[in-house]
Amino acid sequence: SFYRVIVTESGNGCNTLYSNCETVSVLRILTQSHDTTICEGGSYTMSVNLNAGSATLHYQWRVTATDCSTGMVNINGATNSSYTATPLGTRYYMCVITSTNPSCDTLKTSCITVTVVMHPTISVQPQSTSVCPNGIAVMSVTANGGTGNFTYQWLSNISSCAGTFTP
């Protein structure tokens, strides 16, 4: 919020005075990262954004493999408003924020679950087929695993399986 004061004097012909406009910032979390799913070897950058005004902030990211309420430990060197994790398995993260000037109660982000899944695989491969001139070849493929957010783009090559394929 923004504040200023007007000073008036009751005397005849005295000037009205206006103070500088000043800001009062209430320390609070504005935005933070959310749960996500990544494939093995992937990474995820988490961040927190605060309304802090002129407060001096100190960040400490924490992690556990158990759940959001048990066994959180500090991550060495993870002391910025963002942290990039490359977990070997599903992990739970949070950021603990302390402030000086003013010294406020500790703030914590919500628990962020980073779920690690195996890389996707093709479980049903397309099959070669023959069709008559002007016929239609029906082919299908089935992918499993990963994050499950698949898009499919069929590619073709008129000469062989070894050349360049185009959509």
Side-chain angles (χ1 to χ4, degrees):
S1 298
F2 302 94
Y3 296 91
R4 104 174 335 154
V5 66
I6 299 173
V7 179
T8 56
E9 191 173 2
S10 61
N12 189 11
C14 294
N15 291 335
T16 298
L17 303 172
Y18 297 89
S19 72
N20 294 334
C21 180
E22 298 298 333
T23 304
V24 174
S25 298
V26 178
L27 186 63
R28 62 189 168 95
I29 294 174
L30 297 174
T31 60
Q32 64 183 21
S33 295
H34 300 284
D35 298 348
T36 193
T37 300
I38 63 173
C39 288
E40 285 182 318
S43 64
Y44 181 57
T45 299
M46 297 164 278
S47 63
V48 59
N49 181 31
L50 282 84
N51 180 43
S54 60
T56 302
L57 302 177
H58 306 279
Y59 302 90
Q60 179 61 64
W61 287 91
R62 307 190 79 199
V63 64
T64 183
T66 310
D67 61 39
C68 293
S69 60
T70 308
M72 285 276 181
V73 294
N74 290 345
I75 302 169
N76 290 336
T79 56
N80 293 312
S81 63
S82 64
Y83 173 71
T84 300
T86 308
L88 298 176
T90 297
R91 297 290 186 267
Y92 307 89
Y93 297 87
M94 78 167 46
C95 187
V96 177
I97 304 108
T98 56
S99 68
T100 55
N101 293 332
S103 179
C104 297
D105 290 339
T106 299
L107 294 174
K108 296 178 182 178
T109 64
S110 298
C111 183
I112 304 163
T113 303
V114 179
T115 304
V116 179
V117 296
M118 300 292 285
H119 286 277
T121 60
I122 294 179
S123 58
V124 177
Q125 293 283 351
Q127 299 297 310
S128 296
T129 187
S130 296
V131 296
C132 296
N134 297 319
I136 297 173
V138 177
M139 300 174 81
S140 66
V141 66
T142 302
N144 293 326
T147 64
N149 297 318
F150 299 116
T151 58
Y152 298 87
Q153 173 69 59
W154 286 92
L155 306 173
S156 65
N157 179 326
I158 60 170
S159 59
S160 74
C161 282
T164 302
F165 285 79
T166 58

